[in-house]
Amino acid sequence: MTFKIITPVDDEPVTLAEARLHIKADSDTTEDALIEAWITAAREVSEQYTGRALAAQTLEMALPCFPGSGHQVIELDMPPVVSITSVKYTDTAGVEQTVPGADYALSLYGDACAVAPAYGKYWPSTQSIPDAVRIRYVTGYATAPKAVKAAILLMVAFLYENRGDAIVADDIQPPAAKSLLGTVKIWSK
């Protein structure tokens, strides 16, 4: 499964004011653009590490076809999923179709953010092409867990203090940040 970002994050889990206060640069506004970039980078690294959308955004996941009759559930990447915007597919004649909202249901039970046909319904047949099925959905926390915010602040502080060093991407996650993110990380699927 692959997904792309349709609507990027508008409100980061950590504000510029929170980050400036944390790094003790609360009165210095000269580096605001840089600090905002670090906040975004820290969130993106955290999303990659946890497998979760840590702020509200719209994603679209593509599949080569709907699952077969034995197991019709589609697990959506990057929970927590808030809502499904649309389920579109290319039918066997090559025409884009939209599955009516009443024909599928979103499960929000635990971490199992999944979509499946509604009771008595089945997924339609698709043309055999890449990305024949496209599911657009809104995902991400309305308010990030405190552990996520603390981890992002730790990463921003690390970047602030080590701005000239050559670092490996994973190095911006200090051990304490990884421990904090471990509280929301999806460990296995």
Side-chain angles (χ1 to χ4, degrees), residues 110-159:
D111 285 334
C113 289
V115 62
Y119 181 76
K121 302 287 183 176
Y122 299 93
W123 293 124
S125 296
T126 64
Q127 195 171 64
S128 184
I129 60 170
D131 308 331
V133 176
R134 294 151 319 276
I135 304 169
R136 189 169 288 193
Y137 56 100
V138 177
T139 188
Y141 293 105
T143 302
K146 289 182 178 42
V148 168
K149 290 182 73 156
I152 290 172
L153 287 169
L154 286 173
M155 285 184 267
V156 168
F158 180 84
L159 290 167

Side-chain angles (χ1 to χ4, degrees), residues 50 52 145 147-148 178-185 187:
T50 63
R52 293 185 180 275
V148 168
K178 280 189 174 181
S179 293
L180 289 163
L181 292 172
T183 64
V184 298
K185 179 179 171 83
W187 291 96

Side-chain angles (χ1 to χ4, degrees), residues 47-77:
E47 286 179 336
Q48 182 182 26
Y49 179 73
T50 63
R52 293 185 180 275
L54 301 176
Q57 55 197 289
T58 302
L59 303 178
E60 185 173 87
M61 191 167 85
L63 305 162
C65 62
F66 286 111
S69 60
H71 181 74
Q72 296 222 342
V73 174
I74 300 170
E75 292 194 31
L76 301 170
D77 292 333

Side-chain angles (χ1 to χ4, degrees), residues 7-77:
T7 306
V9 170
D10 190 32
D11 293 319
E12 292 290 348
V14 169
T15 66
L16 175 61
E18 289 169 325
R20 286 173 58 220
L21 183 63
H22 182 74
I23 61 175
K24 298 184 179 5
D26 51 319
S27 62
D28 181 8
T29 61
T30 59
E31 297 184 316
D32 283 358
L34 187 57
I35 295 167
E36 287 175 331
W38 289 334
I39 292 168
T40 299
R43 180 201 30 92
E44 289 172 346
V45 167
S46 298
E47 286 179 336
Q48 182 182 26
Y49 179 73
T50 63
R52 293 185 180 275
L54 301 176
Q57 55 197 289
T58 302
L59 303 178
E60 185 173 87
M61 191 167 85
L63 305 162
C65 62
F66 286 111
S69 60
H71 181 74
Q72 296 222 342
V73 174
I74 300 170
E75 292 194 31
L76 301 170
D77 292 333

